[in-house]
Amino acid sequence: MSKEDSKSREQFSSKIGVIAAAAGSAIGLGNIWKFPYEAGKNGGAAFIVVYLVAILMIGLPIMISEFVIGRKARANAVGSFKKLAPKTKWHFTGVMGVVSSFMILSFYGVVAGWTLEYVFLGFQNAFKEQTPQDLKATFDAFSTSPSRPLFWQFLFMALTAWIVAAGVKKGIERISKILMPVLLLIIAILCIRSLSLGENIDPTTGQVIGSSMDGLRFLFQPDFSKINANVILSAVGHAFFTLSLGMGTIITYGSYVNKKNNISKTAFQVTFLDTLIALLSGIAIFPAVFYFNVEPDKGPGLVFTILPSIFQQIVGGYFFTLAFFMLLALAALTSSISLLEVAVSYFSEQLKVERKKATLYTALAITLIGVACSLSLGPWSSFTVLGYNIFGIMEYASANVLLPLGGLLIALFIGWFFPRNDFYDELSNSGTLKLASFRLFFFAVKYLAPIAILIIFLYSAGFLKPLLKYLNILL
Ligand code: PHE
C-alpha cells in the first residue's frame, strides 16, 4: 500500500466517531423491527437464548476479524482480500458481500419507507383512538398497496444515496452520536409503559383479556422444546444481520478506522449497545402484545401495530409517536448508508467507476429490486418460491444463508490463512495495547465460530439427521 493511499483515505475523526458509525450501522430496523418479529415467530425466549449465544460465540469474534481485515488492508470488502491474499480466491468473500448488500438493502429500503409513512401518519394524529385491530388493518392496507409504499421507499433510497455520494464519514458520525442516546431514552420509556400496563380487563364482562407479565415470560422463560433447526438458523442469521456482519460492512468501516483505535474494545461496545437495544425493544413490545392479546407471531407488521397502541397509553403520546418513528427512520438511514457503502466503495475503488455515478447506478438497481419486494406483499403476492414471496426470499436468503456463509469464510480467513502474528499485531496496535483474552479470541475465530456455523448449516440442511439417528441408536 502506498503512502498516498492511506493518507487520502478518509478516516473517522475520533474514538466516539468509530463507535457511533459502527453502532449506527448495527442498530437499525434489525433491532426494533426484525428482532421482535423473529422472536415472536420462533418461540420467544428459546430463540433469544440461541441468539445471545450466537452473538457471543460467533458474532463478536467475527466483528473483531472484520475490523482487523479492513483496517489492515485499508480497502473495500473485495479489495481488502485482494491486498491481504493476492492471487487467491478469498476476494470472492467480498463479492458475496456486495451481492448481500443488494439483497438486504432492497427490502430494507421498503421497511424504512414504512417508517416514513408512520412519521407522516403520526404527524396527522392518525393513530388516535385506533385499537390494535384497527392499526393492523391500517398497516395491512398500506403495506399491500401497489403505490404508496413505493413513494416512501424512493424517498428513503434517494436520501441514502445522497449521503453516500457526498462521502460518508462526517455525516454518519454526527447523526449517530445524537441519535443513539435519544433512541435509547424513548425505548426505555416505552419499556416502562409497556411493563406497567398490567392486566387488561374487559369492562363489560370483567374477564381478563391479557396481561403484560405474560409478555415478559414469553421473552425470558425459555421453552427449549421449541428449538429446532429453523429456530437455530434464524437466531444465528439474525445475530449476523443485527451486527452487520458477514458481508464486509465492518471491513469497509474498519478501513476508515485510525491505527490508534482499540478495535476489540470498539467491537465489544458496539455489540453490547446493539444487543441492549434489541432486548429493550423486546421488553417494549411483548408485554403490550400480551396485554392487548394479539398474536405474537404476527410478522413484519408487529411493531407498526403494537407501538402506536402503547403510545396511546402515554401522556404526550402524540409527540412520542412522532419522535419514535423519526428516530427509527434515522436509525434505518445510518444502517442503509453502511449497506450502500459496501457496494459503492467496491464499484468505485475496484472497478474505478466515479463515486457519484457508482452511487447513482447502485442505488437505482437496488431500488428496482426493492420495488419487486414491496409489490410482492400486495399485487404480486401469489408469486412464491418454497412458500416465500420475493420480500421473504431476499430476507431469508441474505440473513440465513449469505451472511453466515460470509462469516464462515471470514473466520476461516483470519483463523487459518492470515498470519496469527499479524492478527495479534493489528489487534494490539503493534503491541501497545494489552490484550487479556487474545488466545480466547483466536480460539473463537479459528475453531468455535467456523465449527458452529458449519454444524448449523449441516443441521438445517438435514445432513446431520441420519448421523444423529445413528448416534441415538448407539446411545
Ligand atoms: N444491522 C442492521 C440492522 O440491524 C442491518 C444491516 C445488515 C446493516 C447488514 C449492514 C449490513 O438494522
Side-chain angles (χ1 to χ4, degrees), residues 72-146:
K72 178 89 189 164
R74 291 241 172 275
N76 59 80
V78 178
S80 287
F81 286 101
K82 286 204 165 157
K83 272 192 190 165
L84 300 180
K87 300 204 183 65
T88 65
K89 297 261 182 292
W90 281 108
H91 66 274
F92 185 70
T93 313
V95 176
M96 238 172 60
V98 175
V99 174
S100 306
S101 75
F102 271 68
M103 291 177 70
I104 296 178
L105 192 49
S106 68
F107 72 84
Y108 206 86
V110 173
V111 181
W114 297 348
T115 64
L116 293 179
E117 164 87 359
Y118 273 64
V119 172
F120 183 68
L121 291 178
F123 185 69
Q124 298 169 327
N125 211 1
F127 307 125
K128 197 170 171 234
E129 276 155 29
Q130 286 209 353
T131 62
Q133 286 70 26
D134 300 334
L135 286 163
K136 182 172 175 353
T138 305
F139 175 78
D140 287 346
F142 163 68
S143 62
T144 55
S145 142

Side-chain angles (χ1 to χ4, degrees), residues 312-388:
Q312 288 181 45
Q313 313 272 338
I314 297 181
V315 188
Y318 175 80
F319 292 102
F320 277 120
T321 311
L322 256 185
F324 176 81
F325 282 111
M326 265 151 95
L327 287 167
L328 186 55
L330 279 175
L333 187 63
T334 54
S335 301
S336 65
I337 290 168
S338 75
L339 281 158
L340 188 57
E341 178 69 14
V342 170
V344 168
S345 62
Y346 164 65
F347 291 125
S348 62
E349 289 174 22
Q350 293 310 118
L351 307 184
K352 308 277 177 246
V353 185
E354 198 231 326
R355 191 176 168 95
K356 288 210 166 66
K357 264 199 197 139
T359 312
L360 180 69
Y361 294 144
T362 314
L364 270 178
I366 292 176
T367 308
L368 271 182
I369 311 174
V371 168
C373 289
S374 183
L375 293 179
S376 78
L377 300 176
W380 294 0
S381 61
S382 53
F383 176 77
T384 57
V385 178
L386 299 171
Y388 288 101

Side-chain angles (χ1 to χ4, degrees), residues 123-325:
F123 185 69
Q124 298 169 327
N125 211 1
F127 307 125
K128 197 170 171 234
E129 276 155 29
Q130 286 209 353
T131 62
Q133 286 70 26
D134 300 334
L135 286 163
K136 182 172 175 353
T138 305
F139 175 78
D140 287 346
F142 163 68
S143 62
T144 55
S145 142
S147 52
R148 211 174 157 87
L150 298 187
F151 167 75
W152 295 112
Q153 181 215 352
F154 291 163
L155 187 69
F156 181 85
M157 288 302 295
L159 208 61
T160 306
W162 178 59
I163 298 176
V164 170
V168 281
K169 267 52 73 209
K170 297 288 168 306
I172 331 172
E173 277 184 54
R174 228 173 281 145
I175 307 180
S176 302
K177 264 192 260 183
I178 312 169
L179 169 77
M180 273 349 131
V182 188
L183 188 64
L184 197 68
L185 184 76
I186 298 201
I187 296 181
I189 295 174
L190 271 171
C191 286
I192 296 172
R193 187 62 194 109
S194 186
L195 282 173
S196 61
L197 284 169
E199 282 200 334
N200 189 2
I201 296 173
D202 190 320
T204 46
T205 62
Q207 268 182 343
V208 178
I209 300 171
S211 152
S212 55
M213 279 306 130
D214 288 340
L216 264 196
R217 260 178 236 124
F218 179 76
L219 276 179
F220 295 114
Q221 236 175 45
D223 169 2
F224 287 110
S225 67
K226 293 234 167 89
I227 293 190
N228 58 35
N230 209 27
V231 169
I232 296 182
L233 186 63
S234 302
V236 173
H238 185 70
F240 277 95
F241 185 89
T242 189
L243 293 175
S244 307
L245 296 177
M247 55 163 279
T249 312
I250 303 296
I251 295 182
T252 310
Y253 273 18
S255 75
Y256 307 126
V257 173
N258 76 40
K259 290 282 178 198
K260 289 203 201 92
N261 191 272
N262 186 342
I263 295 179
S264 41
K265 199 166 156 195
T266 303
F268 259 106
Q269 285 164 332
V270 172
T271 305
F272 175 77
L273 277 177
D274 187 81
T275 312
L276 180 72
I277 300 253
L279 292 177
L280 288 179
S281 306
I283 299 177
I285 288 167
F286 283 101
V289 165
F290 280 79
Y291 174 85
F292 293 117
N293 195 13
V294 290
E295 293 297 311
D297 56 356
K298 213 190 243 159
L302 188 65
V303 296
F304 293 95
T305 56
I306 291 300
L307 292 180
S309 316
I310 309 176
F311 285 126
Q312 288 181 45
Q313 313 272 338
I314 297 181
V315 188
Y318 175 80
F319 292 102
F320 277 120
T321 311
L322 256 185
F324 176 81
F325 282 111

